[in-house]
Amino acid sequence: MSLAVAASSNQGPQVAKAIATSLREAGVTENWLESHIADDPTILPLGDVEFIDRQRKQEKAGRLDLLLKDDSGDKRYEVELMLGSTDESHLIRAIEYWDIERRMWPGYEHCAVLVSENVTTRFLNVISLFSGHIPFVVIQMNALQVEGKLVLNFVKVLDSRKLRKEEATELKEKTTDRAYWISRASAATVELAEKCISILNEVATATRKPSYNKYYVGLNDGIRAGNFVTFKPRKSVLRLKFEALASPEPWLKRLHDTGIESDVKNEDLRVFITAKDFDDNKQLLTEMLQAAVREYEKD
């Protein structure tokens, strides 16, 4: 049992009794839940996401409950919903739909999402085994009755994207070369990425080399990938994405204070710099890059 609190100007907070209930007991169907999330996908703890499709037909594999995307358009979320407790069939379907969508649309980053009322420790342990291979988010939904109204609460209980990624499979992605990125973006932004890699190599225990693939420039030590920072050159701007910074918010504040465009998406810090930004703020960028490699190598 929980308590819902509302503000009152005269006598302090007003307290209403909240009674836990199951969605089925509250008269909720899976179809209604799909529709409710489709109307406002931001109720899920996935950041600023938008609706793309629901009951999306998968060839020889049923229908995907919901397909969402983040506001940048770079990431897609394949969402499987389930009332009651998690079971094997929904777990398998979530992985299968994720795999179908990523093969069909390889230009996006894809993430499997399982939303269930009751996520057991057993399934969390199984899903955690996928970390580094399948980006997987598990969300538990809880229902409360408050003064005749239904309150839905969604809590992220596992996010394998936060766990340490070996990313050996990324070496198998379609490789390109430096010339490809120069033609797609510009020589100036590719050189900017290479300057950043040189900076982190000043403190790296293993020399990192650029790994060119179709969607970004990653890092590898000659044996395996280690994409704690990735680079996406554009015509005049370079996007850096930091995955290894434990606390991105202080860095975000410093970046904003200097006027450098930056944000946090799915707990990854994204920084957009021009050649002038790099020259004017080289000390700050050096600190960030070297902090990222130190945090990655200490684990």
Side-chain angles (χ1 to χ4, degrees):
M1 184 179 296
S2 301
L3 296 178
V5 180
S8 172
S9 59
N10 297 324
Q11 299 177 350
Q14 294 180 343
V15 179
K17 184 181 293 185
I19 302 173
T21 184
S22 73
L23 290 175
R24 285 195 176 94
E25 288 174 348
V28 171
T29 64
E30 197 166 292
N31 182 64
W32 179 91
L33 184 63
E34 276 181 27
S35 178
H36 185 65
I37 295 174
D39 288 341
D40 182 12
T42 60
I43 63 175
L44 297 179
L46 296 171
D48 294 327
V49 291
E50 301 173 6
F51 170 75
I52 299 178
D53 200 2
R54 62 180 289 201
Q55 287 299 304
R56 186 180 180 93
K57 185 173 176 55
Q58 306 289 303
E59 186 175 358
K60 299 179 181 179
R63 292 179 180 273
L64 171 64
D65 288 339
L66 289 166
L67 181 63
L68 309 176
K69 66 177 180 178
D70 76 343
D71 62 351
S72 72
D74 293 334
K75 295 184 180 180
R76 289 189 170 188
Y77 298 89
E78 288 75 37
V79 182
E80 177 71 10
L81 302 175
M82 182 180 179
L83 303 186
S85 299
T86 309
D87 63 25
E88 292 88 344
S89 64
H90 283 75
L91 177 60
I92 291 170
R93 282 206 294 272
I95 297 171
E96 188 174 24
Y97 296 157
W98 164 82
D99 185 56
I100 291 171
E101 288 289 326
R102 77 182 180 96
R103 291 176 185 274
M104 185 174 295
W105 304 101
Y108 302 97
E109 295 179 45
H110 293 266
C111 179
V113 180
L114 179 62
V115 181
S116 175
E117 277 187 272
N118 183 16
V119 183
T120 64
T121 302
R122 174 194 174 205
F123 280 99
L124 288 177
N125 290 339
V126 170
I127 294 169
S128 68
L129 298 176
F130 304 151
S131 62
H133 301 282
I134 299 176
F136 209 114
V137 172
V138 180
I139 297 170
Q140 182 162 298
M141 54 185 170
N142 302 300
L144 300 170
Q145 293 281 3
V146 181
E147 296 182 342
K149 296 181 180 180
L150 181 65
V151 177
L152 297 180
N153 183 42
F154 296 89
V155 179
K156 190 190 299 182
V157 294
L158 184 142
D159 188 343
S160 73
R161 298 170 302 170
K162 296 182 191 175
L163 305 178
R164 176 64 179 271
K165 299 178 182 178
E166 293 300 326
E167 300 187 54
T169 56
E170 293 200 14
L171 291 174
K172 299 177 183 178
E173 289 188 6
K174 185 176 180 180
T175 58
T176 57
D177 55 20
R178 188 175 186 271
Y180 167 86
W181 277 101
I182 290 175
S183 65
R184 177 177 175 175
S186 69
T189 53
V190 171
E191 290 169 4
L192 201 54
E194 292 166 346
K195 289 180 181 179
C196 292
I197 296 172
S198 295
I199 287 172
L200 64 85
N201 274 328
E202 292 174 4
V203 297
T205 58
T207 300
R208 309 288 167 173
K209 297 179 180 179
S211 178
Y212 301 100
N213 68 59
K214 191 174 180 180
Y215 308 114
Y216 58 82
V217 179
L219 298 169
N220 74 80
D221 60 8
I223 300 175
R224 64 186 179 94
N227 293 328
F228 53 93
V229 185
T230 58
F231 309 89
K232 191 167 186 177
R234 296 174 179 171
K235 292 296 182 183
S236 58
V237 175
L238 173 69
R239 188 199 75 182
L240 295 79
K241 185 169 75 170
F242 293 82
E243 296 187 2
L245 291 174
S247 302
E249 294 299 337
W251 293 108
L252 186 64
K253 183 180 185 306
R254 292 181 64 184
L255 288 162
H256 285 176
D257 289 344
T258 64
I260 294 178
E261 182 183 355
S262 52
D263 59 23
V264 174
K265 293 292 182 184
N266 300 313
E267 302 188 23
D268 295 335
L269 176 62
R270 304 190 309 175
V271 183
F272 303 84
I273 60 171
T274 63
K276 185 177 186 304
D277 292 328
F278 179 86
D279 292 337
D280 292 347
N281 302 278
K282 187 174 180 180
Q283 181 59 41
L284 173 57
L285 294 168
T286 296
E287 290 179 35
M288 291 180 59
L289 289 161
Q290 295 185 351
V293 70
R294 287 190 180 105
E295 287 191 31
Y296 180 79
E297 292 183 341
K298 75 180 180 182
D299 294 333

